[in-house]
Structures are given as structure tokens and as C-alpha cells.
Amino acid sequence: MREIGGYRLVALLGEGGMGQVHLARSASGRLVALKTVHPRLAADPRFRERFRREVAAARAVDGPYTAGVLAADPEAEPPWLAQAYCAGPSLAEAVSALGPLSAPQLAALGALLAEALTTVHRARLVHRDLKPAHVIVTRDGPKVIDFGIAKGVGEGDALTGSGEIVGSPGFIAPEQLARDAEPGPPADVFALGALLALCVTGRNPFGAGSAPEVLHRTLHEEPDLDGLPGPEWREFLGRCLARDPADRPTAAEVLTWCAARGEPTPWWEEEQVTALIRRHEEATDELIEAGPAPEEPPGGENGPAPGASRRRFLFWSASGAVAAAGVSAAVALDGDGGRAAAAPARTAARPRGRTLWTRELGATQYGGSLLRHGDALYVHDTASLTRLDPATGAVRWQRDARDTGQVVPDGADTVHVVRTALGMAPTLAALDAATGDVRWETRGAVPDGLRPRTSPLPGTAELDGTRAVLATGDGVVCLVTYASYDQWSLRTEGRKPWRAYGYDAATGRGLWYHEGTSGAVTALRYAGGRFAIAASAHGGPDGSGRPDPRSREPLFVLRAADGGQEAAIPGGAARPDAHPGASGTGYFALGQAVGAVELATGTTLWSRGVTDSVSVTPRATGGLVHAGSYAEISALDAATGRTRWLRTDVARLGGDAEEPPLLADGRLYATGPEPGTDQPALGGPKWGVHALDPATGETAWAAPFTGTGELRAAAGGSLVHVFVGTVLTTFHGPDGPV
């Protein structure tokens, strides 16, 4: 059995840019997380000097809520340090199982973390990267890990030096981004404020999206503190998140404020959390019983893969010690929200799906689509709109569609399309679904008499924005025109109001007109005799024209019968399906949070943080809501939001980040590597399509697809259609038609 510094190595837990992390035992039997530095970093004298200095400071930290540095040798080959090993879930996992924290629970957590930070600051250290992943909930309570020796935002190759930005977007203080000076203790208080807000609202106060977007909001916008338990919490966390570090309380002041409001019984002693802790401890015991890992070069990058028991442990310990890349597992959860045993490893061969037919077509353009509607499959590519037979791939009809934008099937016999010729106001056409022939089309709002002429240039972009979106319902087609709010469009078109037009779906006769506010339309929905229109006059911090996901703009509700405005719901643009006329419960994703909303009233029923920026199925199926991203697929309990299973070896099937996971006919479709290869979804090869059981996440069958480029997908009738680049392939399960 290998030893480093007198510690016997039990297993490799993971590795990253700095080196490797091992589970190890001291001579007395104490478990530690032993970190070895990569040889290429150890060879850098500057790195070794920083490592020496920061290890010395970190060893001075000694508190009940920190995982302290027990021993280290910066001069060894390789350099190493040993920290107390914490067996338990991450704070994010624990809160997900328990649900959003109440005010007393939040105060108890705030007091504990503030005490941990006070200990760190007393040693003249700054954590620099406090976030939920760096708080582990153990049998003895939450503990802060990885203080004093932080990695950069991009997992850099060296410990951070002066002037480098350290931390995770959403938790980085403004002064760290400005690089005015080395971050001090107030930067940790800022991160603590963001963390506490997240534990109640399920979202970061500075939103989600790309790192530049989140950092821009941190520097220039006020935090979103809606949903906190009362005005005193809003005021207090607002102070913690103040842009000026001098305006923030100290960690000691946070401790005093929170301690006066905490509950006597810690929430981490609730059964939902203790069940998670027990399972982490059991997984540790299993790993120890399995014996030491095969020997490998210290600090190396390509050591042998762990065995099956280690794979299971790696999933469990990813939050407790180190995030180990490349681990694929589906994890079911038991009825009380605690994690059950990991699902069987996906190393066995899975049933192979069958290719029904393949066809070469033009590439889907930006805004193009692949739509399954009843017994029709519509492909809108760079040049044409084509209707295919889903079962055979036979072309039913094809027509020129170079100026076509949105395509919306309406019932069994009509397809509505928006035409958006360059520089011209959009028009609308109704096609016969059986032949592709035009049944009726508009000439433009002014020629059709829906709106009086206001310009000597009829039909031009001066009158309407050059973009449009449509929806149908109650025998009415609603066409809403608008201008993009990207920088180029603002220079050429200026700021324009959105304009809504109602047409008789059968004849195309103009019914009504409504002029709205200045802004780009982000969503149009129909329910219960009403059209709901979401628009944003903010082009986003990157100037791309994409709306700000944290926009608090209203949702406008128009009556389908006459176009009259029934309501303007404050802040409703982020949830366009929630409006009068809608019914039931809807599910929404906004960045790294998923929430359930009573659609008729807009009341939030629950909100949960998730591990990635996701999209979700808008309605529940079998008591579950399914969430997907480019890196994972998961199922949440529709009633509580608790995670029921999670897979990181498959990802959402589709090219649009806002498309919900593809669920049809009792199958949840995903994309990922060939079963048995244990590749992660993020960065792994996109070998083919996976058909999952929505209830368990298990792969029912998988099949490879061909083609390179943008990926789009549709499903129906037990078939799944995948369009990659220019190749459209249709699959069915192994027990489907031959």
C-alpha cells in the first residue's frame, strides 16, 4: 500500500488542474483528503513559494466548522497537504432534499458559516471561493472546505497570485472583478450573502447565464432578493451584497445578527439530511473495504480507472471531497427525499434501437425547425419547408421557404407560416397541410386595413419591426411584430413597439390590432381565450439582443376575441404561461433554478436550485418534471421539487438551450456516448440517441446517429427524428416496426 508523508492511500477520489485527491489514513486510522500537486506545477518556483506560504497560513485555521489542514509538506516530491475528510453531501444537495430554508433555518446556517469565516479571517486568510459546493454537511454540522488555497474561475494551472480573479460567478465580489486590490474579508461576506439568498429562493441574486453575463450584473446591477423571508432579511442580505465593501457587515457582525434569529434544533439533523449523510458514510466504508486502488504515479494525470465500487463512491463523494469528472450514474431518490442506492452502472450492453430511414436535406437555418405534428413531420431548412411521412420518410410536399420564419401547425389541416423578407414588415400565410398550397395570406397590416398608414413608405420596416412570432387559439391567429434589440438592429431600425394583429384562422380576415410597448418579444402564448405577450426592452449585457433572464418586465394579456388588453402582470415576462385563462401547474427554469407555479394566479408553489442552467418540461408527467442541459438530465418530484434521479452521462437532445427535454410516448430522449463507455455528457462524444425510462432514468435503448453540425430533434408515434447537420434519421426501439 502506497504512503505519502506517513498517510496510507486508500483510493483516488479525483483529479483536476492542480493534481490529485486521495482518500488516505493516518497511522492512527483517521481519514483524510490528501491532495498532491501536479509535477508541472511543482516545478514552478513561484507556485511552490505560494503553496508554502498559503499552507502555513491555512494550518492556523482551527474551528469546529472548517475542514482544517492537518499536515503538509511543500518541499516534498510531489508537494502535498492533508485536510480533514468530510463525509456528507454538499450544501446544495442537502438543501435540495430538505427544501427552501425557513427564516430560523437560514439564520442557523448563516451563524455557522459566519463563525467559520471568522475563524478563517482570524488567521489572516480570505476564503475567496465560498459557494455551496465548498460547504459539506456532515454528522457534526456543515463545514467549510478549500479555504486559503483557491482555484481560479477557469481551473487554472497554478495557485492564484496577486491580481488574478478567484471564485465562481455569482459569488465573486465586485472589488475582485475590478482588481483594485487583493480581496479582503468583505469579499467572503459578499459570497456568504449570495449563498444564503440561494438557499431560500433557489436562484443566485445575480441570475444565471454565461459567466460574462453574471459578472456584468454583479458589477452594474442590484441583486435580486425577491422571495426572502421578510423585509429584515432583504435589508440584511442587501447589506452583505453591497457593491462597496465598506458598506458590508463583518463576518463577526453576521454571526451576531444570525445567532439572535436561529432555531435551537439544527436543520441538518432533520431525517432528509441525515439520510444523505449516512449514505455518504456507508459509501466511504464500502470503498475502504474494497481495499487500496492500484498503484499509479503520484500526481499523474492518466492513472488507471477505479473499479465498480469506486465508481459508485466517486459519485457520492463528488461533493464531499472533489468533483471527479467522467463518472456516469443515475441516482434514484427514496420517498422522503434522501438518496437511495445508485442505479446499476451502465457498463452492460443495452438494447440497440433501429434506424427506420435516413434522408439528406438542407441544413436547418437559424430559426429553422423540425416539427412532429400528428401524422406529419415538417422540416424547415435553409431553402424549403417540407412535409414528410414520419414512418417512411416519403416527401408529401415541398415549397420554397427562404423567407419563412416561424412554422406553426394548426390542427390536422392547416400550417401557418410567418414570412420575413429582408427589410420588409412580416406577413402571414395559411398553408393546406395536405398539399402545401396557400389558402390565404396577408398583404401587411396597412394594406389589410388593420392599422392606418403612418409613413409614406408602406410595408417597410419603418412601420413594423422586421421580426414576428405567431400563436393560434380560439379560431384566431395572433401575429406579433417587433424589432430586435441587438446593437445592429437598434442602429438600423431604432426602438419600435411590438404590435399584435388578430386574423380569422379560417379566412385570414383581419379582426383586430393592438400596439404595445417598446421592446423585443420573447414569448407569445395562448390559453383560455387569451394571448399573453412577453417583451423586453433590454438587449442583455452582451449586446446580442437576447433578453435579460432577470428582466422584471410585465406580461401583457390580450383577449383573443377583440385584442383588448385585459391585464399587464408586473414581472410576468419571465413566466409567460402563467396568466388568467391558464390552468393547472406549470414548471419554469430560470438559470440555475426550477420552480412550480400555479398558472392561473402566478403563485410560486416551490423553487429549487439545480446543478446547471437547464430547461424543463412545462407540465408534469407521471408525477415528475424533467430537466435537461448540455451536461445532464434529471427528474424532479412535481410536488416538492426534490431530485428523483440524475444522469451526467447523457444530455438534452436538441440544439436550442430553451427547448425542454424531449418527452413523448413514454420515453424521454437524450443524447450521449455509446452505452458502457462511461463518458460524461459535457465534453463527451455525442455518439447517438438514448431512449430513457422517464420514471427511473434507465436507458431502454440507444442508437448511433450520423452527421455533423447543429442538432434538432422531434418525436411522436414511438419514433424519434434526429436532424444533425443535413442528415435526418428516424429511429424506433428494438421492439418497434421492422
Side-chain angles (χ1 to χ4, degrees), residues 184-257:
D188 285 345
V189 173
F190 184 93
L192 177 58
L195 182 151
L196 293 177
L198 178 68
C199 288
V200 174
T201 66
R203 63 184 185 277
N204 189 279
F206 297 98
S210 67
E213 290 172 336
V214 176
L215 298 180
H216 181 276
R217 296 187 202 110
T218 303
L219 277 173
H220 302 292
E221 299 184 15
E222 294 301 313
D224 174 12
L225 298 177
D226 289 350
L228 290 176
E232 69 168 0
W233 274 101
R234 187 183 181 97
E235 188 276 335
F236 179 70
L237 292 186
R239 288 175 52 210
C240 293
L241 295 169
R243 194 165 290 127
D244 186 344
D247 293 337
R248 298 174 205 147
T250 64
E253 290 169 339
V254 174
L255 171 58
T256 300
W257 193 91

Side-chain angles (χ1 to χ4, degrees), residues 11 140 247 437 463 666:
D140 299 322
D247 293 337
D437 296 333
L463 297 178

Side-chain angles (χ1 to χ4, degrees), residues 195-607:
L195 182 151
L196 293 177
L198 178 68
C199 288
V200 174
T201 66
R203 63 184 185 277
N204 189 279
F206 297 98
S210 67
E213 290 172 336
V214 176
L215 298 180
H216 181 276
R217 296 187 202 110
T218 303
L219 277 173
H220 302 292
E221 299 184 15
E222 294 301 313
D224 174 12
L225 298 177
D226 289 350
L228 290 176
E232 69 168 0
W233 274 101
R234 187 183 181 97
E235 188 276 335
F236 179 70
L237 292 186
R239 288 175 52 210
C240 293
L241 295 169
R243 194 165 290 127
D244 186 344
D247 293 337
R248 298 174 205 147
T250 64
E253 290 169 339
V254 174
L255 171 58
T256 300
W257 193 91
C258 289
R261 293 163 174 81
E263 61 180 3
T265 303
W267 56 262
W268 48 88
E269 294 181 4
E270 297 282 343
E271 175 58 27
Q272 296 99 315
V273 181
T274 58
L276 287 176
I277 296 171
R278 286 195 301 271
R279 290 185 177 95
H280 278 266
E281 293 173 339
E282 290 166 2
T284 303
D285 292 340
E286 289 181 15
L287 186 59
I288 294 171
E289 291 173 4
E295 290 198 9
E296 56 208 15
E301 290 184 286
N302 300 307
S309 63
R310 289 182 174 80
R311 286 194 191 283
R312 180 181 176 203
F313 177 77
L314 282 168
F315 184 89
W316 282 110
S317 64
S319 60
V322 62
V327 181
S328 60
V331 178
L333 286 99
D334 59 32
D336 65 359
R339 284 188 182 271
R346 289 172 172 75
T347 54
R350 291 287 170 183
R352 185 66 67 92
R354 299 174 183 269
T355 299
L356 192 59
W357 55 264
T358 299
R359 178 175 288 276
E360 186 88 11
L361 294 166
T364 54
Q365 60 185 349
Y366 177 77
S369 55
L370 179 68
L371 301 170
R372 178 67 190 268
H373 185 74
D375 62 355
L377 178 64
Y378 296 98
V379 182
H380 176 206
D381 59 34
T382 52
S384 61
L385 174 61
T386 307
R387 174 176 171 172
L388 303 174
D389 183 293
T392 66
V395 175
R396 297 307 184 198
W397 53 260
Q398 187 174 68
R399 61 176 296 113
D400 184 279
R402 279 171 288 190
D403 293 331
T404 297
Q406 190 179 7
V407 177
V408 178
D410 186 9
D413 60 353
T414 307
V415 180
H416 291 106
V417 298
V418 176
R419 291 171 171 167
T420 53
L422 182 63
M424 302 296 289
T427 60
L428 176 65
L431 308 181
D432 187 304
T435 65
D437 296 333
V438 176
R439 287 182 168 175
W440 56 259
E441 58 186 324
T442 65
R443 298 173 298 160
V446 173
D448 288 342
L450 282 182
R451 183 168 57 81
R453 187 185 305 279
T454 58
S455 167
L457 303 173
T460 66
E462 184 180 346
L463 297 178
D464 275 299
T466 58
R467 299 191 179 189
V469 63
L470 72 88
T472 64
D474 206 25
V476 177
V477 182
C478 179
L479 177 74
V480 182
T481 65
Y482 64 97
S484 172
Y485 272 54
D486 61 78
Q487 294 177 354
W488 170 255
S489 296
L490 287 175
R491 287 197 298 267
T492 57
E493 296 186 54
R495 294 182 178 271
K496 282 187 168 61
W498 56 265
R499 290 171 173 143
Y501 303 94
Y503 297 90
D504 184 282
T507 66
R509 178 174 60 89
L511 301 175
W512 48 259
Y513 157 72
H514 182 94
E515 181 162 305
T517 59
S518 175
V521 174
T522 59
L524 173 62
R525 300 286 192 270
Y526 169 82
R530 299 164 176 86
F531 291 103
I533 301 168
S536 174
H538 300 89
D542 59 358
S544 67
R546 292 190 298 270
D548 188 336
R550 294 173 67 240
S551 171
R552 290 291 179 265
E553 309 219 24
L555 181 71
F556 299 92
V557 182
L558 309 184
R559 293 185 296 271
D562 59 12
Q565 182 170 308
E566 180 175 290
I569 303 172
R575 300 183 303 192
D577 291 282
H579 63 85
S583 60
T585 302
Y587 300 88
F588 298 86
L590 192 61
Q592 289 180 268
V594 174
V597 175
E598 187 178 77
L599 294 179
T601 64
T603 302
T604 297
L605 304 177
W606 54 258
S607 180

Side-chain angles (χ1 to χ4, degrees), residues 15-347:
E15 54 190 316
M18 286 185 61
Q20 296 181 334
V21 181
H22 299 261
L23 180 67
R25 276 191 183 279
S26 68
S28 64
R30 180 175 185 176
L31 288 176
V32 302
L34 190 141
K35 304 181 180 183
T36 59
V37 175
H38 196 286
R40 71 173 183 272
L41 300 179
D44 182 352
R46 295 172 301 173
F47 177 94
R48 197 180 283 263
E49 173 56 32
R50 287 199 300 272
F51 186 75
R52 183 184 301 112
R53 184 174 61 251
E54 296 191 6
V55 162
R59 293 185 72 172
V61 177
D62 183 20
Y65 304 120
T66 56
V69 174
L70 304 175
D73 188 349
E75 312 304 329
E77 296 294 345
W80 60 270
L81 65 86
Q83 288 181 289
Y85 177 72
C86 299
S90 70
L91 177 62
E93 187 183 354
V95 172
S96 178
L98 187 65
L101 300 185
S102 65
Q105 290 173 331
L106 186 66
L109 176 64
L112 182 149
L113 296 180
E115 182 173 340
L117 288 180
T118 301
T119 304
V120 173
H121 297 166
R122 191 180 299 123
R124 305 184 64 81
L125 278 176
V126 181
H127 189 289
R128 297 181 287 182
D129 196 16
L130 182 66
K131 58 183 179 181
H134 286 164
V135 179
I136 305 303
V137 182
T138 72
R139 185 177 294 274
D140 299 322
K143 292 182 181 292
V144 176
I145 64 172
D146 279 358
F147 52 83
I149 305 173
K151 289 175 281 189
V153 175
E155 293 288 324
D157 286 341
L159 287 176
T160 54
S162 177
E164 295 175 344
I165 296 177
V166 180
S168 301
F171 301 93
I172 305 175
E175 65 269 23
Q176 291 174 268
L177 299 176
R179 305 191 189 195
D180 294 333
E182 280 290 303
D188 285 345
V189 173
F190 184 93
L192 177 58
L195 182 151
L196 293 177
L198 178 68
C199 288
V200 174
T201 66
R203 63 184 185 277
N204 189 279
F206 297 98
S210 67
E213 290 172 336
V214 176
L215 298 180
H216 181 276
R217 296 187 202 110
T218 303
L219 277 173
H220 302 292
E221 299 184 15
E222 294 301 313
D224 174 12
L225 298 177
D226 289 350
L228 290 176
E232 69 168 0
W233 274 101
R234 187 183 181 97
E235 188 276 335
F236 179 70
L237 292 186
R239 288 175 52 210
C240 293
L241 295 169
R243 194 165 290 127
D244 186 344
D247 293 337
R248 298 174 205 147
T250 64
E253 290 169 339
V254 174
L255 171 58
T256 300
W257 193 91
C258 289
R261 293 163 174 81
E263 61 180 3
T265 303
W267 56 262
W268 48 88
E269 294 181 4
E270 297 282 343
E271 175 58 27
Q272 296 99 315
V273 181
T274 58
L276 287 176
I277 296 171
R278 286 195 301 271
R279 290 185 177 95
H280 278 266
E281 293 173 339
E282 290 166 2
T284 303
D285 292 340
E286 289 181 15
L287 186 59
I288 294 171
E289 291 173 4
E295 290 198 9
E296 56 208 15
E301 290 184 286
N302 300 307
S309 63
R310 289 182 174 80
R311 286 194 191 283
R312 180 181 176 203
F313 177 77
L314 282 168
F315 184 89
W316 282 110
S317 64
S319 60
V322 62
V327 181
S328 60
V331 178
L333 286 99
D334 59 32
D336 65 359
R339 284 188 182 271
R346 289 172 172 75
T347 54

